[in-house]
Amino acid sequence: MFGRVHSPNDYGRACSRLDAVTDQPPFEPYPHDAARREYDAAPPTTQPPTEQPLSIRRAVLLMRTGAALSAVYLVATLIFLGSVKDDIRAQLQKSDANYTQSQLDTAFTVYFVSVVIFGLIGIALWLWMAAANGRGKRWARTTATVLGAFNILLSVLSLISGNGTTLSVLFTVLNLVIAIAALVFMYRSDASRYYAARSRG
């Protein structure tokens, strides 16, 4: 009437079942939880420095100045094309007194086209090298070195020839100074460390 009377044997069996439950191994986390803990414990990867050192900033500024100077010289040359045509006429008279108007026009056209093409190429090269070296590309420093050496050589030869106008001589001198200064800054110690760090990244 009052239910079953439990014997000592029943109590022993219940304790045995309880011990079996408590002896279970602890809860194992899911694999992705373990991977997450390993990720959090891993040391952060070292990123290459993003801040440009002073030497690189100065080199980039000089390159942009070179581009601006080339643009100013191109515009000034186009403005004074009339006087250039007179110079071409004088040179033709020295070489051939019987020159024709067609020869004068052809020489002037060649000069005009060459000034525009080489002027635009010069501006593009200055800006390209400024952007690439600003990002710390090693190939950019090598390319800028080759172009800078070529630029310096042409500038020196132009000054030695002594055939340029006052405007062209002034441009050549400024262009020469900018090219040399940019190369010097690109090879300073802080700039070299920046190139090395960015290349590793």
Side-chain angles (χ1 to χ4, degrees):
M1 180 182 299
F2 293 103
R4 179 183 174 185
V5 177
H6 296 281
S7 66
N9 292 333
D10 293 335
Y11 178 76
R13 285 194 295 271
C15 291
S16 299
R17 286 196 296 270
L18 179 61
D19 292 340
V21 172
T22 55
D23 287 341
Q24 293 287 337
F27 173 75
E28 291 292 335
Y30 288 105
H32 68 269
D33 293 335
R36 179 66 183 179
R37 288 198 301 272
E38 292 179 0
Y39 176 82
D40 293 338
T45 56
T46 303
Q47 297 294 332
T50 56
E51 184 179 357
Q52 296 175 348
L54 180 60
S55 295
I56 291 293
R57 293 199 298 270
R58 288 177 175 175
V60 169
L61 179 59
L62 285 168
M63 292 176 187
R64 291 173 179 170
T65 303
L69 179 64
S70 298
V72 170
Y73 178 71
L74 176 59
V75 173
T77 302
L78 295 178
I79 291 175
F80 295 104
L81 277 179
S83 60
V84 171
K85 194 168 188 177
D86 293 336
D87 294 337
I88 295 174
R89 182 183 291 107
Q91 293 178 3
L92 287 175
Q93 287 176 346
K94 289 181 181 179
S95 59
D96 184 8
N98 297 321
Y99 75 93
T100 63
Q101 183 64 34
S102 177
Q103 290 176 318
L104 176 62
D105 293 339
T106 300
F108 179 75
T109 301
V110 170
Y111 175 82
F112 173 79
V113 172
S114 62
V115 165
V116 172
I117 291 177
F118 285 105
L120 294 177
I121 290 176
I123 295 171
L125 287 177
W126 277 118
L127 294 177
W128 177 42
M129 286 293 95
N133 282 280
R135 292 193 295 269
K137 304 298 183 180
R138 272 185 174 176
W139 63 263
R141 181 166 68 167
T142 303
T143 304
T145 302
V146 174
L147 293 175
F150 185 67
N151 187 8
I152 292 171
L153 177 62
L154 291 181
S155 298
V156 171
L157 292 177
S158 177
L159 292 174
I160 292 175
S161 65
N163 295 327
T165 62
T166 303
L167 178 63
S168 65
V169 170
L170 178 61
F171 167 77
T172 302
V173 171
L174 292 176
N175 186 64
L176 182 62
V177 172
I178 290 174
I180 294 175
L183 288 176
V184 170
F185 282 120
M186 286 164 51
Y187 281 91
R188 298 190 66 177
S189 58
D190 57 341
S192 296
R193 289 193 298 269
Y194 179 71
Y195 284 112
R198 296 295 293 179
S199 297
R200 287 195 300 270

